[in-house]
Amino acid sequence: MYVAVKGGEAAINNAHRLLADRRRGDRSLPSITIEQVVEQLGLSVDRVMAEASLYDRSLAALAVRQSRGDLIEAIFLLRAYRTTLPRFGSSVPIDTANMTIERRVSATYKDMPGGQLLGPTFDYTHRLLDPSLLTDEEVDVAARRPEGEDAMMRISDILAHEGLIEPDSAPDDGEPAGDLTREPMEFPMNRDLRLQALARGDEGFLLALGYSTQRGYGRNHPFVGEIRIGEVEVELDVPELGFAVSLGTIRITECQMVNQFKGSSKAPPQFTRGYGLVFGQSERKAMSMSLVDRALRAGELGEDVTAPAQDEEFVISHADNVQATGFVEHLKLPHYVDFQAELGLVRKMRADIEKARNESMDNKEAAE
Amino acid sequence: MESARPIEPQAAQALQQPQTGEGRRRAASLLARATRLELEKAWALLPKQPAVKPVRGPETGLVMVRGRIGGGGTPFNLGEATVTRATIMLDSGTAGHAHALGTDREKARLAAIFDALSQEADSHAFVERELLGPVAARIATEDKVKAEEAAATRVDFFTMVRGDN
């Protein structure tokens, strides 16, 4: 139950003023610029864009700064901003086969056409704190080498002709894809909607669920077929022009997980696939997403649904960290009247028990 | 519909001019990737800056970016991106459109002007020489540098031959 309570206005104003003060921190230090956040904390920016489901590096950096680096708060800010804008339309589906490649690795094929490009990765670093970053030391420019001749084929295209791996579904561009920002969620849902929910889902939640499948809760024997990070063109059909125009490029991470599958009554023995696609550079998220995508296909592939990661309603209903934080954090808001009512109830119950006990004692004494 | 706001009849007429062709497509995509600075420089260099009437925008909105299930299957909605668009009309009556990722309204307005100028015989060569050419060259250089930087991180596998002893 909610009732109007007054008296917090001055406190709230001063709390916000204090927040602004703490956000600025020590005034003898220069304040951080949006460009610095974009350039030097780029992976935080990417995470905010991915989970806010809004690609805009500058606005995401603004949100990171405004939230003092609290990324879920930043995601919330960016989600709120997007609700203020009209939608111009939907892009032509992006073509990840034709993206520029910054990183591309496969754990299944050593000698895939185009090769293995490590790109700007934390892998193989020693995870030792680097004292050179305590100061503003000059950093070497990146090494360069002439690019290879081979096209960077997608692993799924390389494997497809053998028939041992599940092919992509025939592209059905007629039916508009489900959009959970427009329609309320209903279960069971199709894979397109699930992928939309997973793409904006909390990285930590999906990581934990992906991990749970590896530990045996819905095991699906994954291999990283391919991870690729790079930039892809976004095109929009503009009716006024009568053709699709490029709007520019966005950075994305794609993960093709290849899963061993012994077959079921619904599908022959073959490798099946889980798919991850995320805004920005985030292979942890893309890998987790592809593990969970595969786990959620249990029903479709005729597997037993036994583990949390295979439970569509459980996974999709709890993946959104803005919804989750809203409901968890609302507990701190005033519930004075609810609590008073509960307090009265507990007092009454205790009094009733006390009374019953006294009466039974009285009866006992009387009997004696 | 989900479009922003109704378009005036005059604007609708401007929007319906037949404009097709690969050249137009290329110009639109280069204008989308031009920086605001590049556009401002080209504007300053114009021998005669045309009178421009705004028709629509500049306005910022969203485009839902779609991916494909598995990379090549049925489309799904990945997430939205901010897009700013503008439509203008030159005093000669030529309309120009621009769409670009991001929220820079001035960039969209200038891009729309250059889209119109690139369709006019008098200014087509100027736009190509001072704007589209340099932007294309910059993008090509940036792409080449990025590709070469990535290529330097390619793993060259070799096999260690172990001794028999």
Side-chain angles (χ1 to χ4, degrees):
Chain A
M1 177 184 179
Y2 299 94
V3 291
V5 184
K6 294 206 172 217
E9 200 177 328
I12 290 169
N13 284 340
N14 285 338
H16 291 168
R17 197 167 149 179
L18 182 60
L19 167 65
D21 174 86
R22 294 297 191 268
R23 174 163 54 218
R24 177 59 183 86
D26 184 348
R27 306 293 204 279
S28 69
L29 297 170
S31 68
I32 192 168
T33 67
I34 298 306
E35 292 76 18
Q36 285 169 345
V37 176
V38 168
E39 289 296 314
Q40 297 174 40
L41 295 175
L43 301 189
S44 291
V45 170
D46 283 355
R47 179 164 181 189
V48 171
M49 293 194 305
E51 293 172 31
S53 205
L54 180 65
Y55 196 100
D56 188 310
R57 298 183 67 77
S58 303
L59 292 176
L62 170 63
V64 169
R65 184 178 169 188
Q66 186 176 335
S67 67
R68 307 177 66 191
D70 177 339
L71 297 189
I72 292 184
E73 181 70 22
I75 290 160
F76 197 161
L77 290 169
L78 207 53
R79 283 264 185 100
Y81 171 77
R82 79 156 272 287
T83 64
T84 66
L85 296 178
R87 189 185 284 176
F88 294 161
S90 289
S91 81
V92 175
I94 56 174
D95 182 6
T96 55
N98 278 323
M99 61 196 265
T100 64
I101 300 288
E102 287 168 25
R103 169 171 167 80
R104 189 268 203 131
V105 291
S106 169
T108 52
Y109 278 97
K110 178 165 70 74
D111 297 311
M112 64 196 309
Q116 312 251 356
L117 275 63
L118 301 182
T121 181
F122 292 115
D123 296 350
Y124 315 109
T125 61
H126 293 108
R127 266 70 186 217
L128 298 173
L129 284 174
D130 180 358
S132 76
L133 292 174
L134 288 170
T135 55
D136 200 10
E137 277 184 29
E138 195 73 18
V139 176
D140 290 337
V141 295
R144 285 164 65 175
R145 163 167 117 169
E147 42 179 326
E149 304 284 303
D150 292 337
M152 298 277 177
M153 284 175 78
R154 274 193 308 234
I155 183 88
S156 45
D157 298 332
I158 297 171
L159 284 177
H161 60 88
E162 284 188 66
L164 297 177
I165 189 165
E166 171 193 33
D168 281 329
S169 57
D172 175 7
D173 292 10
E175 194 79 356
D179 185 353
L180 49 83
T181 68
R182 296 294 168 106
E183 306 123 32
M185 275 194 211
E186 272 178 38
F187 299 101
M189 55 174 48
N190 288 333
R191 196 173 170 201
D192 57 346
L193 269 175
R194 284 205 306 258
L195 287 172
Q196 184 185 11
L198 295 176
R200 59 181 6 220
D202 182 76
E203 179 174 319
F205 180 71
L206 297 182
L207 175 66
L209 283 173
Y211 180 44
S212 74
T213 67
Q214 291 181 282
R215 292 193 65 255
Y217 294 87
R219 194 183 291 285
N220 54 34
H221 308 279
F223 298 94
V224 168
E226 187 184 7
I227 292 169
R228 50 171 63 202
I229 302 175
E231 287 179 9
V232 69
E233 200 148 40
V234 180
E235 293 185 322
L236 178 70
D237 270 317
V238 178
E240 297 92 319
L241 294 174
F243 51 80
V245 293
S246 169
L247 303 174
T249 60
I250 60 171
R251 179 174 291 110
I252 51 153
T253 305
E254 182 185 54
C255 176
Q256 300 271 2
M257 199 64 82
V258 177
N259 305 72
Q260 188 192 334
F261 177 63
K262 64 180 192 298
S264 72
S265 56
K266 288 189 182 173
Q270 62 179 334
F271 288 101
T272 55
R273 288 158 54 206
Y275 188 64
L277 186 65
V278 182
F279 280 155
Q281 173 177 345
S282 180
E283 66 192 35
R284 183 186 303 117
K285 166 82 181 273
M287 291 173 74
S288 304
M289 177 174 170
S290 59
L291 287 171
V292 176
D293 171 48
R294 174 61 187 80
L296 290 174
R297 296 181 61 208
E300 172 198 339
L301 293 166
E303 296 169 329
D304 292 336
V305 175
T306 57
Q310 297 168 317
D311 182 334
E312 176 180 271
E313 186 162 351
F314 176 79
V315 172
I316 303 298
S317 303
H318 300 113
D320 189 307
N321 56 23
V322 175
Q323 279 173 8
T325 203
F327 202 47
V328 168
E329 291 202 49
H330 104 282
L331 291 173
K332 70 196 169 187
L333 298 175
H335 285 67
Y336 306 137
V337 176
D338 293 77
F339 189 70
Q340 286 300 324
E342 301 261 319
L343 203 58
L345 189 63
V346 173
R347 281 204 184 104
K348 183 171 181 302
M349 284 159 66
R350 285 177 68 124
D352 288 350
I353 290 170
E354 192 84 346
K355 195 174 153 211
R357 191 185 293 147
N358 289 343
E359 274 171 7
S360 78
M361 275 224 288
D362 289 349
N363 290 343
K364 226 194 226 169
E365 277 167 19
E368 283 166 6
Chain B
M1 247 300 275
E2 43 191 31
S3 184
R5 57 193 71 119
I7 300 172
E8 303 156 33
Q10 191 191 18
Q13 194 189 359
L15 295 174
Q16 277 160 13
Q17 286 178 358
Q19 292 148 344
T20 47
E22 203 45 40
R24 194 76 205 285
R25 219 174 108 85
R26 169 179 164 276
S29 115
L30 289 172
L31 288 169
R33 294 185 68 180
T35 64
R36 168 126 157 233
L37 197 64
E38 286 168 330
L39 291 161
E40 283 171 346
K41 269 189 184 162
W43 175 252
L45 283 173
L46 271 174
K48 181 174 168 290
Q49 294 176 343
V52 176
K53 198 163 55 162
V55 175
R56 178 173 67 181
E59 59 188 354
T60 297
L62 301 169
V63 164
M64 176 55 88
V65 178
R66 295 189 297 164
R68 287 188 181 278
I69 297 174
T74 299
F76 72 96
N77 290 315
L78 173 62
E80 287 160 318
T82 52
V83 172
T84 302
R85 68 181 177 191
T87 299
I88 58 88
M89 197 187 283
L90 302 180
D91 49 6
S92 61
T94 307
H97 305 289
H99 287 76
L101 292 174
T103 54
D104 191 337
R105 290 175 169 77
E106 179 61 8
K107 173 182 152 168
R109 194 184 69 88
L110 285 169
I113 294 171
F114 282 107
D115 178 54
L117 287 173
S118 77
Q119 297 168 67
E120 300 213 316
D122 291 351
S123 46
H124 177 80
F126 173 88
V127 176
E128 186 58 44
R129 186 178 69 244
E130 298 298 337
L131 186 61
L132 300 183
V135 170
R138 171 181 59 78
I139 293 169
T141 308
E142 284 171 0
D143 285 353
K144 185 165 189 294
V145 169
K146 279 189 208 158
E148 290 185 354
E149 286 171 349
T153 69
R154 185 190 301 121
V155 182
D156 296 315
F157 288 105
F158 59 90
T159 310
M160 299 281 281
V161 180
R162 296 195 183 184
D164 294 332
N165 50 346

